[in-house]
Structure formats: structure tokens, C-alpha cells
Amino acid sequence: MFYNLIYPLHESYSFLNVFRYITFRTIYAIVTALLMSFLIGPKVTEILRGLQVGQMIRADGPESHQHKSGTPTMGGLLILIAILVSTLLWADMTNGYIWLVLFATTGFGLIGFWDDYLKCVRKDPKGLLARYKFGLQITIALITALGLYSSSAYSTVLSVPFFKDIQPDLGILYIPFAILVIVGASNAVNLTDGLDGLAIGPIMVTAVAYMIVAYVTGHSNFSDYLLIPNIKGAGELAVFCGAILGASLGFLWFNTYPATIFMGDIGSLPLGGALGTVAVITKHELLLALVGGIFVVEALSVIFQVASFKSRGKRVFLMAPIHHHFELKGWKEPKIVVRFWIIAIILGLVGLSTLKLR
Ligand code: 57M
């Protein structure tokens, strides 16, 4: 909004020219979202506590989680507000990609809100039934994919990390592929969100990586130099990723061990959905599996565990998702979380190196 309202004044006041730069606006999107989460965090926690929106802890979970009962959840509301306000302030509001990603984020946020509301306010442990939740996620992702597909500048060619010569064109199949990326990312983040600070760390790493990816794909000189697709207007998504980074950092202040608030599905579903959407728009869909490798491993651990349990009646892990396996092995929660962050940072760096190694 500042770009649209303030930048046009640069002809009279040349210093306002700075509002043109994506880098400048990204930095301030980070700062704005961070300050917003800091400022409204205590209030949101207090309101949620007052409304008794407390977490119910499953009795069959790790023993170390039982004392977390009643921790206010739905802190994702704080993250969502900070991301939306900061993006609306600092991004170019005439950019279609920004509206598309805001649509996906809000849509997944509403699904998460509904699920949390049923679980925490109505005290229905099942929450939103899986088939409705999944159906709604697919609907939001389908609308997002169709929105992209219908734009004339859009390409259905995939770029494969490390291999610049392999560029399969998926054609119309790109739509189910994009849905898979967006819905998969949303659910994988949700599964990861089971220890204090566990999900938000890799979210920040992924947001930083895609902030850089969005910037270079939107910049014709950089994209030509790096031999990556040049997507006009995608650079503006760096501002959005900056808002995710700032909001997440602010949330971590409250969610770090011992957490005073959990994000709930209202946080995990939109954060995953947003990053999946950014990956699709910037044509770096497969890279998300590498940069967000922690989310992939968490989701795979559940798939293997359930498949093994159903087919052979035996578990692969002591408990899935995999962070519970380490808890049951006796690792302390902060140790698991920080080690997962370290792996996430390494994967983020390797992922970014693929921009050059191709
Ligand atoms: C979300 N939610 C946490 C919190 C958070 C198919 C199956 C593997 C699904 C999976 C599942 O339900 N995953 C979805 C995981 C929950 O956190 C809430 O949920 C939100 C995210 N959606 O924001 O509101 C619990 O996680 C802990 N937590 C923290 N700190 C945080 O910052 O400590 C969360 C955030 C919280 C809190 O204890 O209550 C969750 O784990 O439920 N199901 C599971 O993960 C269950 N696994 C399982 O059943 N495994 C079996 C299967 C696969 C065969 C097995 O391995 O044998 C576990 N979850 C729980 N207890 N709670 C196991 C038992």
C-alpha cells in the first residue's frame, strides 16, 4: 500500500524513491510483522486464555506433554494478522501474485480456525472431520492453481534442482501437481507442529530461502545469470516472505520452550499453504521438498508408520511423527527442536546452492 500511495510522490520528494525497491520494502515488512507480533502477542494470549481456548492433550501421547494441558492455542491468529497487515502495508497491491497468495493464506487460515474452534471451544476432540478438512484444502488449492494457470505469463514447465536440462512440461497435469504441493506443504507443517518451536524454526528458514528465490526469479538480470525462469512480478513475493519471517520470529518469542502459546491449525495450515503457493508461483516447486526437508521427513515418518502398522502390525518408529520417536528415546524437547532447526538450516543452504549449481 505504501508503494502505491507513497512511491508516486517521489517526483516531488526524491527520497521517496526508496519505496520502489523490493529489498527496502522486504526489510520493513519483516520489521513491521515482528513488531506487530511482539505488540499484540501478550494481548492475544490473554484473550485466548480468557476464552479458555486451551489445548487438550491426548492421554496416549508422550508423558512429557501432559503438563502442557490448557496452554492457549490458536496463536496462529497472531501470525496471520501480522503477515496480512505487513503485506498489505509493504507490497505492491496491484500485483496479482500477492492477492493470490493472500487468498490461499486466508483460505487455509479459515479452515484451521474452524478445526481449532471445534476442538478448543466446542471441545470436540475430532475437530473438523478429515474428509471435510481435506476437501476444503483441495478447493482452496484448486482455485489458487486455476488462478495461476489462467494467467497468460504462466508456464507449466518444472525446474528440477541440480539439473538444468531436465524440464518436463506437465501441461494440464500441472494443476493437480500444484494442488499436491500446496496441500502437501500445509499438512506436512501441521504434522511437524508437535513440540515447542519445532515447526516455526523451519518455517523461518523456508521463508528466507523463498524470499531470495522470489527476488531472483522476479529480477531479469539475476534469473538470466542463474538460468532460472524469470517470472515478472514474482519478486514482490519477497515482501510476503519477509512478512512470514517477521511474524514467525515474533511468534517464536512466545512459542519457544516452555511455550506460552501454540499456533494451532489456524497457524500451521496457512503457513504451509502459503509457502507451497510461493513455491508454485516462483516455479521452484520441487525445491520446497529440499528446503522444507524437515516437513517432508515428518510427513514420511507418519506415512511409513501407518503403512507398516496396518500391513504388518509393527511400528517403524516408537511413535510418529518422528519428533515423538526421539522424545520416547529420552531426548529433551529443546534438544530435538534445536537439532531439527540445525538440519533445517543446512537443508536451506543446500537448497539455495541449487540456484547456482545447475
Ligand atoms: C497435529 N498436533 C499436536 C497444537 C498445534 C495421523 C497422525 C500421525 C496425525 C497426528 C496429528 O494429529 N497431527 C496433527 C499435531 C498437538 O498440537 C496442537 O496441534 C496444533 C497443530 N495442528 O499448534 O495446537 C500437540 O503437540 C504438542 N505441541 C507442543 N508445542 C507446540 O508448539 O508441545 C504442539 C505445538 C499438543 C502438544 O502436546 O497437544 C499433536 O501431536 O497432537 N497424530 C499424532 O501426532 C499422534 N501420533 C500418533 O497417533 N501416532 C501413531 C500412528 C501414526 C500410528 C503411532 O506412532 O503409533 C501423536 N499426537 C499426540 N499424542 N498428541 C501421538 C500421541
Side-chain angles (χ1 to χ4, degrees), residues 55-58 60-61 65 68 73 190-191 193-196 255 262-265 268 302 305-306 315 319-321 324 333:
Q55 185 71 44
M56 291 186 284
I57 306 286
R58 276 175 45 175
D60 57 350
H65 282 246
K68 297 180 181 216
T73 186
N190 189 29
L191 287 172
D193 187 29
L195 297 179
D196 299 351
N255 183 237
F262 297 156
M263 68 170 82
D265 282 26
S268 58
V302 171
Q305 181 89 325
V306 174
R315 289 182 164 81
M319 192 184 277
H324 288 315
E333 187 168 348

Side-chain angles (χ1 to χ4, degrees), residues 232-290:
K232 202 165 170 287
E236 208 59 36
L237 292 173
V239 179
F240 175 75
C241 290
I244 296 185
L245 173 64
S248 304
L249 204 54
F251 175 73
L252 179 61
W253 186 268
F254 307 102
N255 183 237
T256 187
Y257 181 85
T260 48
I261 193 163
F262 297 156
M263 68 170 82
D265 282 26
I266 194 179
S268 58
L269 296 185
L271 282 172
L275 290 169
T277 306
V278 172
V280 169
I281 298 175
T282 54
K283 306 276 337 135
H284 279 79
E285 312 87 348
L286 297 177
L287 185 69
L288 185 60
L290 180 58

Side-chain angles (χ1 to χ4, degrees), residues 117-342:
Y117 176 79
L118 292 176
K119 280 189 206 147
C120 305
V121 180
R122 293 277 188 89
K123 308 290 178 205
D124 171 2
K126 284 199 191 119
L128 186 57
L129 290 182
R131 59 174 180 278
Y132 293 132
K133 192 168 168 179
F134 201 50
L136 287 169
Q137 287 180 316
I138 290 180
T139 308
I140 299 289
L142 174 67
I143 298 171
T144 309
L146 287 176
L148 265 180
Y149 191 73
S150 59
S151 82
S152 55
Y154 203 63
S155 149
T156 53
V157 175
L158 279 191
S159 57
V160 181
F162 297 112
F163 302 100
K164 70 170 178 289
D165 296 327
I166 303 177
Q167 295 186 333
D169 188 347
L170 297 188
I172 190 77
L173 288 180
Y174 191 83
I175 292 179
F177 173 72
I179 294 173
L180 179 75
V181 173
I182 298 170
V183 175
S186 177
N187 287 318
V189 171
N190 189 29
L191 287 172
T192 308
D193 187 29
L195 297 179
D196 299 351
L198 181 63
I200 207 71
I203 284 286
M204 289 192 285
V205 173
T206 313
V208 171
Y210 274 90
M211 196 161 78
I212 296 169
V213 168
Y215 185 74
V216 293
T217 43
H219 196 295
S220 56
N221 290 352
F222 284 124
S223 52
D224 284 354
Y225 172 66
L226 294 167
L227 301 173
I228 57 173
N230 174 225
I231 298 152
K232 202 165 170 287
E236 208 59 36
L237 292 173
V239 179
F240 175 75
C241 290
I244 296 185
L245 173 64
S248 304
L249 204 54
F251 175 73
L252 179 61
W253 186 268
F254 307 102
N255 183 237
T256 187
Y257 181 85
T260 48
I261 193 163
F262 297 156
M263 68 170 82
D265 282 26
I266 194 179
S268 58
L269 296 185
L271 282 172
L275 290 169
T277 306
V278 172
V280 169
I281 298 175
T282 54
K283 306 276 337 135
H284 279 79
E285 312 87 348
L286 297 177
L287 185 69
L288 185 60
L290 180 58
V291 170
I294 288 289
F295 303 123
V296 176
V297 169
E298 291 271 9
L300 286 179
S301 72
V302 171
I303 292 170
F304 287 136
Q305 181 89 325
V306 174
S308 163
F309 196 69
K310 283 198 172 153
S311 61
R312 326 181 284 151
K314 284 189 188 157
R315 289 182 164 81
V316 183
F317 303 102
L318 295 175
M319 192 184 277
I322 198 165
H323 51 260
H324 288 315
H325 174 80
F326 293 111
E327 277 195 294
L328 295 183
K329 282 202 124 202
W331 293 22
K332 294 280 180 245
E333 187 168 348
K335 178 170 272 195
I336 304 171
V337 171
V338 174
R339 286 190 172 165
F340 275 44
W341 286 357
I342 294 170

Side-chain angles (χ1 to χ4, degrees), residues 28 37 77 108 116 127 163 176 243 263 320 355:
Y28 281 91
S37 342
L77 188 64
F108 279 96
D116 286 339
F163 302 100
M263 68 170 82
L355 289 176

